[in-house]
Every structure is written in C-alpha cells, then in structure tokens.
Amino acid sequence: MRKNERLKGKTVVITGASGGLGEQIAHRCAASGANLVLLARNQKKLEQLAENVSEKYSVDCLPLQLDLSRHEDIPAVFRDIIERVEYIDVLVNNAGYGVFSEAKDVTAADVKGMFSVNVVGLIVCTKEVINYMRQRKSGHIINISSQAGKLATPKSSVYSATKHAVLGYTNSLRMELAKDGIFVTAVNPGPMATNFFDRADPSGNYVKSLGRYILSTEKVAEKIVEAMLMNRREINLPGWMNAGSILYTLFPRLVERLGKKAFFKK
C-alpha cells in the first residue's frame, strides 16, 4: 500500500465511510499516518472500522453517526468534529446512492432521496468546512461524482442529474477557493464493485454485463489518496470511459447513436 507523506499527522473527514470506497479510502489515509473522522449512518460498522484502523495503523479515528439526508443535523456534527480535532485538512464527500429506473417509473421519493444525499448533503457538509479552511489558508475538498455526471445513459436520468449537479458545484467551488490556497477535486469513477448496485440494480444484470470492466474500490481509493493535498482538478477512471465522456462532449449525437446498444444494458 503506497503512502502519501503529505497526510502524516493531518485530519481527514470521510462521509459514507462505513463500507465500499469510503472504507478503502480510510485504510489508505491511515496507512499514510492521517487521523480520521468517519461519518455514516451505521454507527456499529463505523465503530468497528474505527477500532480496526486505530489498532492497525496507530492513528486517531473518530466514528460519528450522520445521515446526510437530515441536513439540519450536519452543522452540529461538524461543530463537534472541530471541537474534538481542532481542524480539518481534507474533506472527502463520498456518501451517495443511486436507483436505476426509467424516467417514467422513477418515484418522487427516489428523486428526493438522491438529491437530498448526493447533492444537498454534500453541499451542506462542504459549507461547514469552508470557513475553517479559509482561516488556515489550506485544505482539500474532494467530491466523489461519477462518469455519469459527464455522460448520462438510459435508466440513470435522476442519478446522472445529481452527479451533473455535483460537478457544477465543484467547478464553481474550485474557482471560489483557489485564492485561499484550498484545493477542490472532482472524482469521476465509472462503475465500481460495491454494494451500490444492490440498491441501484437489484437484478444484477448491469454488473454482470460489465464483467472485468468494473473498477475495484481499492484502485479508486489509491488514486484518490495519492492526490490528497495536491492541486488536482479531476480524477477520472477508467481512462477508456473518460475518453468516451470527452468524445461525447465533442460529438454527442454520434456517441448516442453508436453507443445505444451498450447504454441500454442496465
């Protein structure tokens, strides 16, 4: 496991930390000597992860329960974090979920839920760290978006809309905070082998169709941690999928026509 020496003694806050990509990021940050604040809804999983990480890497690890859909709870949780750890060097906005459904079938509850967690929760968390980072003239905000935020496909209209929103917010935030020495990075991975698809695609057909092309959380986490406290605009994985997103920006009609069969594999 490669180490990022810039993280030694720093404090990293990770949302959605109880499993999947968030858990892998936590392990790699701790291996680099960072102290952690782990946020998620499942307190039991958080406490178990915090105990394992603390024992294995000899770092401080604070598990705090937070449901990002409860926006009114977020300010108090971040005040608690600041009181306990004094400062936040890196915020990783990792929490999020998706439901794959055709636009005609998507429920109002799913629309509200995805925007509530993926967009509003992310924005409120970010708002809570900006002033602290500005006071210290340093910090790094990392927003986990998706290739779906660049190239929308059938059955992911609402999920893609949330990730388009995250990218728009991230791009604006990056320009606002550049003068304060604060880095802002968007991470745009393709499909990853996590329990995301247990909810997004209960049939399992999409994951099956991806086969060996699905990303590992270990690889994505490694790229993210390597870039921490560096001025990286974006991290795009895998390369071939990002090339498709770039091509789509240039020739959308062509890509939609040629990729139609593949896009409907969900």
Side-chain angles (χ1 to χ4, degrees):
M1 195 180 293
R2 284 180 284 190
K3 295 183 179 182
N4 179 344
E5 296 298 332
R6 294 180 300 277
L7 288 177
K8 193 170 183 179
K10 304 296 186 181
T11 299
V12 180
V13 177
I14 306 167
T15 70
S18 60
L21 180 60
E23 182 178 359
Q24 291 299 325
I25 293 170
H27 276 283
R28 281 159 177 75
C29 287
S32 295
N35 299 310
L36 302 176
V37 179
L38 306 177
L39 304 175
R41 290 181 302 170
N42 193 318
Q43 183 69 17
K44 187 176 180 181
K45 283 186 177 180
L46 282 181
E47 289 174 354
Q48 186 176 23
L49 175 59
E51 184 179 342
N52 292 342
V53 166
S54 297
E55 288 181 3
K56 186 172 182 179
Y57 304 105
S58 299
V59 297
D60 295 332
C61 197
L62 175 63
L64 294 175
Q65 188 174 35
L66 178 62
D67 181 346
L68 284 192
S69 67
R70 295 179 57 86
H71 308 136
E72 65 278 10
D73 294 344
I74 295 174
V77 170
F78 275 84
R79 284 195 299 270
D80 188 22
I81 293 170
I82 293 298
E83 286 176 9
R84 296 202 200 192
V85 304
E86 295 186 22
Y87 53 82
I88 296 169
D89 295 289
V90 182
L91 169 65
V92 183
N93 283 309
N94 169 67
Y97 77 97
V99 176
F100 290 164
S101 177
E102 289 193 15
K104 66 182 178 62
D105 298 321
V106 69
T107 67
D110 282 339
V111 173
K112 184 177 179 181
M114 280 185 273
F115 271 94
S116 181
V117 174
N118 299 3
V119 182
V120 182
L122 178 149
I123 290 172
V124 177
C125 285
T126 301
K127 184 176 181 294
E128 291 303 314
V129 305
I130 288 173
N131 285 337
Y132 295 108
M133 289 184 175
R134 272 185 163 154
Q135 287 168 13
R136 302 179 69 236
K137 295 293 181 182
S138 68
H140 197 166
I141 296 165
I142 299 174
N143 293 333
I144 310 300
S145 184
S146 170
Q147 287 294 323
K150 294 189 168 190
L151 200 169
T153 55
K155 295 183 72 176
S156 63
S157 56
V158 177
Y159 177 70
S160 292
T162 68
K163 294 305 183 178
H164 273 77
V166 169
L167 280 176
Y169 174 74
T170 304
N171 291 339
S172 177
L173 186 70
R174 184 184 301 109
M175 290 186 279
E176 287 183 14
L177 299 184
K179 64 183 182 298
D180 298 300
I182 300 167
F183 304 143
V184 179
T185 301
V187 181
N188 305 305
M192 284 184 289
T194 69
N195 60 5
F196 171 92
F197 290 103
D198 294 346
R199 186 171 188 176
D201 179 42
S203 70
N205 292 333
Y206 184 50
V207 173
K208 204 175 295 181
S209 71
L210 289 169
R212 64 188 177 88
Y213 295 110
I214 197 163
L215 289 166
S216 71
T217 54
E218 291 86 352
K219 179 180 179 180
V220 178
E222 183 178 280
K223 295 293 185 183
I224 293 169
V225 175
E226 282 178 359
M228 284 182 178
L229 299 177
M230 286 179 61
N231 193 8
R232 283 284 299 275
R233 187 178 191 280
E234 290 187 349
I235 298 171
N236 295 288
L237 295 166
W240 64 267
M241 187 174 284
N242 187 57
S245 296
I246 294 170
L247 189 65
Y248 179 72
T249 302
L250 298 172
F251 307 105
R253 191 175 297 178
L254 175 66
V255 172
E256 287 176 2
R257 187 171 73 248
L258 295 178
K260 186 176 181 179
K261 185 176 180 181
F263 292 160
F264 274 93
K265 284 190 175 181
K266 287 196 199 72

